[in-house]
Amino acid sequence: MNVRVKFAKYGAVKFIGHLDVMRYFQKANRRAELNIVYSQGFNPHQIMSFAAPLGVGLTSDGEYVDLELHEMDTPEEMIKRLNATMNEGFLITGFKELPDPLPNQRKETAMSLVAAADYLVSVKDGYEIVTKDGALSKEEFERLFGEFYAKEDITILKKTKKSEKEVDIKPFIYQADFTKESFYANNECKTEVADGTVHAQSYENGKKLYLKLATGSVTNLKPELVMEAFCQAIGAEFNEYAYQYHRMETYANIAYRGMTQAQITKATEENTLPPRKLVPLMDANL
């Protein structure tokens, strides 16, 4: 049977990289005595699939991992067993059995479904965003970002290992708000979304921003890139250490279910893609 586990990552473990998180969960699964399925061959490993690896330094209330089990107890008991093995900084918040795929239907993993994510971006205390007119107040920060987001296009120079090219990132910023209440009220996800800021760090200066961004293997816009583009637009130096990023939730786009990547690409070019229909990953396979 296949199950999906939702967890939070916060505190000091935000400095733990994805490979170490994978190894940590392998050990936690064994300590919790999960009857997990292993791959075949000379080097068997636990069958698991993480949705979207979280960058080092980021915290989250919306992380997901898929596991394959031989058997399970109730979701409440499984959460209890796993949390009993977790160190401070990891917390299991959801556990759900997934339906079996239909005959001839490809198995959908959390990683393959990811299409968007919500982020809380906070300016850390002790850091300033400085333009030629001086450091920005909370009100100036919100006004300037509002003007930045209102642009028809936001073009950046995206660098890869082999080349550089200009990219318009505006289509991949799905939503931007300055208060949690406004963000959730205007959230295009029509299903109920839990408060994803439980484990977010708070700062006294109050300069924060809520973003919904395209995420996944096809298009992946990081909040760091949005803030760098914003700083460039207002003539401020971008300090990568001035911001704390917190992932609130991760979504699947079920409107594209059943479409191959070639079909999605063709429909994008022909402007015939169906409207997005985002749901939290925990509800994507129902």
Side-chain angles (χ1 to χ4, degrees):
M1 65 181 63
N2 298 298
V3 300
R4 181 157 298 156
V5 181
K6 184 178 183 180
F7 66 96
K9 182 185 177 188
Y10 58 96
V13 299
K14 70 181 181 180
F15 299 112
I16 302 298
H18 179 62
L19 291 179
D20 287 324
V21 171
M22 291 178 60
R23 286 188 282 265
Y24 176 83
F25 266 82
Q26 291 170 0
K27 295 176 182 178
N29 292 337
R30 290 197 295 267
R31 290 195 298 267
E33 298 182 347
L34 300 192
N35 193 355
I36 195 165
V37 177
Y38 282 76
S39 63
Q40 303 297 311
F42 292 103
N43 185 28
H45 59 273
Q46 297 179 17
I47 297 180
M48 64 170 65
S49 172
F50 285 82
L54 193 67
V56 175
L58 278 71
T59 57
S60 177
D61 276 290
E63 298 305 287
Y64 291 89
V65 57
D66 285 357
L67 307 175
E68 191 170 336
L69 304 177
H70 291 292
E71 60 182 4
M72 60 173 278
D73 291 327
T74 64
E76 294 76 16
E77 180 62 25
M78 299 300 283
I79 291 174
K80 182 178 178 181
R81 285 168 58 180
L82 278 168
N83 277 331
T85 72
M86 293 287 165
N87 292 337
E88 177 69 22
F90 287 106
L91 182 69
I92 306 300
T93 58
F95 194 102
K96 183 176 289 186
E97 182 179 357
L98 302 177
D100 293 327
L102 299 173
N104 300 321
Q105 182 183 32
R106 182 174 60 88
K107 176 182 174 182
E108 292 180 322
T109 64
M111 179 178 289
S112 67
L113 287 170
V114 173
D118 292 341
Y119 293 93
L120 166 60
V121 182
S122 303
V123 180
K124 298 177 183 177
D125 290 332
Y127 290 88
E128 298 286 356
I129 304 175
V130 182
T131 68
K132 61 180 178 62
D133 297 320
L136 299 185
S137 65
K138 177 178 179 294
E139 293 73 22
E140 290 169 332
F141 167 70
E142 294 180 358
R143 177 181 62 81
L144 288 175
F145 193 92
E147 294 174 357
F148 168 76
Y149 182 57
K151 292 182 177 181
E152 291 187 3
D153 60 81
I154 301 173
T155 302
I156 63 165
L157 186 64
K158 191 170 184 179
K159 299 179 181 179
T160 65
K161 292 181 179 179
K162 296 182 179 179
S163 64
E164 296 181 351
K165 63 177 181 179
E166 289 190 341
V167 178
D168 179 13
I169 64 172
K170 178 62 184 288
F172 309 125
I173 306 176
Y174 298 154
Q175 185 182 355
D177 283 289
F178 299 108
T179 67
K180 181 168 62 176
E181 294 74 19
S182 176
F183 183 80
Y184 282 127
N186 297 317
N187 197 325
E188 68 177 81
C189 176
K190 301 306 179 185
T191 58
E192 183 177 350
V193 180
D195 184 353
T197 62
V198 175
H199 294 97
Q201 293 175 254
S202 60
Y203 299 93
E204 293 183 0
N205 65 68
K207 299 172 190 172
K208 56 186 177 181
L209 172 69
Y210 297 85
L211 296 171
K212 184 185 297 296
L213 305 178
T215 307
S217 57
V218 178
T219 303
N220 189 56
L221 180 58
K222 296 181 179 181
E224 300 96 308
L225 192 57
V226 176
M227 297 312 296
E228 184 177 2
F230 168 62
C231 288
Q232 290 177 355
I234 64 173
E237 181 180 354
F238 174 68
N239 184 344
E240 60 181 318
Y241 303 108
Y243 308 93
Q244 180 61 50
Y245 306 100
H246 178 82
R247 185 184 285 165
M248 299 160 58
E249 183 57 273
T250 307
Y251 298 95
N253 181 6
I254 59 175
Y256 300 168
R257 175 162 284 158
M259 297 178 66
T260 65
Q261 185 53 50
Q263 290 172 327
I264 293 175
T265 301
K266 182 179 179 181
T268 301
E269 294 172 350
E270 297 174 349
N271 198 27
T272 58
L273 268 179
R276 286 191 306 271
K277 187 176 181 181
L278 300 179
V279 298
L281 272 182
M282 192 58 86
D283 302 324
N285 292 74
L286 300 182

